Amino acid sequence: MASPTGTSDAPFGRMLTAMVTPFTADGAVDTEGVQRLATYLVDEQRNAGIVVNGTTGESPTTSDAEKELILRAVLEAVGDRATVVAGAGTNDTRHSAELARAAERAGAHGLLVVTPYYNKPPQEGLYRHFTALADSTGLPVMLYDIPGRTGTPIATETLVRLGAHPRIVAVKDAKGDLFAASQVMASTDLVFYSGDDAVNLPWLSVGGAGFVSVVGHVVGAELASMIQLFRSGHVEGARSVHQRLLPVVTGIMNRTQGVIMAKAALGLLGRPVGPVRPPLVDATEEQLAVLREDLVAGGVKLSD
C-alpha cells in the first residue's frame, strides 16, 4: 500500500479526520483553502490521515471533476506525510468504480466506500457492489457502514464474506453495534475505525484501530492523545480526554448537522472555510453562540 502512515493493524493510520471542503464565498472549490486546511489538520491537529470527498466533504453536491481537484490538492499538500483516503461511494456501482479509478490515477492511498443509499439493495447486492469496487483498482478499501444515512446496514455475515477480499481491509463504523463488530473482528482481519465521535473511546475498548472523526477538525490532537493513552495502558487518562471533549462532540455533532457545525467551528478558530452548499444552510447566529459555549467548555481556544 502506498500509505506513508499505515501499519498492518491500522492500515490508514490511527487518527483521521473526514475533511470539510472549503468553498469560496460564491460556492466554488477553494483549492488554496483545501491545502491550508489539510496542512493544518496534519501539522497542528496530529492527523495521520485525511478522508476527502466523504459526507463531511459535501460529496453529494460536488461534481466528479471537483472531487478530483480536491483530492489532488490534498495529495500535493500532505500526501507525503499523511494517508489520503478518497471517498468513492455512490448508489451506482458503475459510477463508484469510475470514481475509484479516478482516485487511483490521482494518487490516493486508499478508498472509502459507503453503503449504497436510497435504493436499499439486499445483502447480496451489497456484497457484489463492494467486491466490484475492490476489484476495480489496486487500492485498499475501507467500507463505510452508516445505516442511519443509507437505510441499509452491512450485515455481520456480509462483512465476514467481504473480509476475505484481499483489498477490503477496514470498516468505518457508524452503526454502533460493538458486539457485532467484535464478532467480525474475531472472524476476519478487518480493521474497524470509529465513525461516530460519540463512541470513540468505547470502540478502542473492543479493538478499534482508531477514528475517522469530524470533531478532529478542532480537537484532532486531543483525540490522537486519547488513542495513544489507551494503547499504552493509561485507560483513565484516555477516559479523562473523552469526558473533557464531550461538549465539543455535542456542539458539533448533536446541535444540528455535522458539516454545518464543523465549518462553523473552524470559523470560530479563525480558520474560515467558506459556506456550505445547498441544501445545507450555514449556522445561524444563535447556533454559533451555543457552539462557542460548547467549544469553550471543551477547552478549545477560540480566536479573538
Side-chain angles (χ1 to χ4, degrees):
M1 184 172 62
S3 164
T5 61
T7 62
S8 60
D9 62 339
F12 301 100
R14 298 198 182 278
M15 178 58 211
L16 298 90
T17 289
M19 195 179 89
V20 301
T21 298
F23 295 129
T24 60
D26 63 357
V29 172
D30 179 359
T31 307
E32 291 183 0
V34 167
Q35 294 193 319
R36 283 195 303 271
L37 180 58
T39 300
Y40 160 74
L41 291 175
V42 173
D43 293 349
E44 298 187 40
Q45 290 293 351
R46 293 178 57 193
N47 280 275
I50 293 176
V51 175
V52 299
N53 298 326
T55 310
T56 310
E58 299 182 69
S59 60
T61 54
T62 56
S63 69
D64 290 1
E66 287 176 323
K67 288 178 173 63
E68 183 169 347
L69 175 67
I70 295 160
L71 173 59
R72 288 184 181 275
V74 171
L75 284 163
E76 182 179 328
V78 300
D80 60 339
R81 60 190 187 279
T83 308
V84 180
V85 181
T90 74
N91 59 352
D92 176 348
T93 303
R94 288 182 294 180
H95 184 201
S96 298
E98 291 169 2
L99 290 174
R101 287 189 288 267
E104 183 177 43
R105 289 192 298 270
H109 301 134
L111 301 172
L112 178 73
V113 182
V114 71
T115 310
Y117 39 84
Y118 187 68
N119 44 15
K120 298 184 71 172
Q123 292 298 311
E124 181 62 26
L126 296 186
Y127 176 77
R128 296 185 188 186
H129 174 82
F130 290 128
T131 300
L133 296 186
D135 287 342
S136 68
T137 78
L139 295 176
V141 172
M142 180 189 295
L143 307 177
Y144 188 10
D145 191 5
I146 182 167
R149 284 185 180 272
T150 66
T152 307
I154 311 176
T156 298
E157 297 78 9
T158 306
L159 285 167
V160 171
R161 289 178 70 193
L162 290 165
H165 195 290
R167 284 186 294 282
I168 298 176
V169 299
V171 180
K172 176 187 175 184
D173 186 281
K175 182 166 59 183
D177 189 337
L178 274 66
F179 181 76
S182 297
Q183 293 177 307
V184 175
M185 285 186 275
S187 303
T188 73
D189 292 327
L190 285 173
V191 174
F192 274 72
Y193 289 82
S194 173
D196 180 354
D197 282 303
V199 288
N200 282 339
L201 183 57
W203 268 109
L204 295 179
S205 74
V206 296
F211 313 146
V212 180
S213 173
V214 176
V215 302
H217 284 93
V218 297
V219 291
E222 288 82 355
L223 291 175
S225 293
M226 182 200 295
I227 296 169
Q228 187 175 11
L229 285 165
F230 187 91
R231 289 182 54 79
S232 62
H234 297 288
V235 177
E236 289 299 324
R239 185 166 64 182
S240 178
V241 176
H242 166 74
Q243 292 177 341
R244 186 168 69 249
L245 298 183
L246 291 176
V248 180
V249 176
T250 298
I252 293 178
M253 304 307 298
N254 296 345
R255 300 293 187 190
T256 182
Q257 205 266 2
V259 179
I260 294 170
M261 298 309 264
K263 284 194 163 183
L266 286 165
L268 292 175
L269 264 66
R271 297 182 178 276
V273 289
V276 294
R277 280 183 174 176
L280 300 182
V281 293
D282 293 321
T284 65
E285 289 300 321
E286 293 79 7
Q287 289 170 334
L288 286 171
V290 175
L291 177 61
R292 177 180 289 274
E293 293 177 358
D294 290 328
L295 295 179
V296 170
V300 177
K301 295 181 180 180
L302 304 181
S303 64
D304 296 330

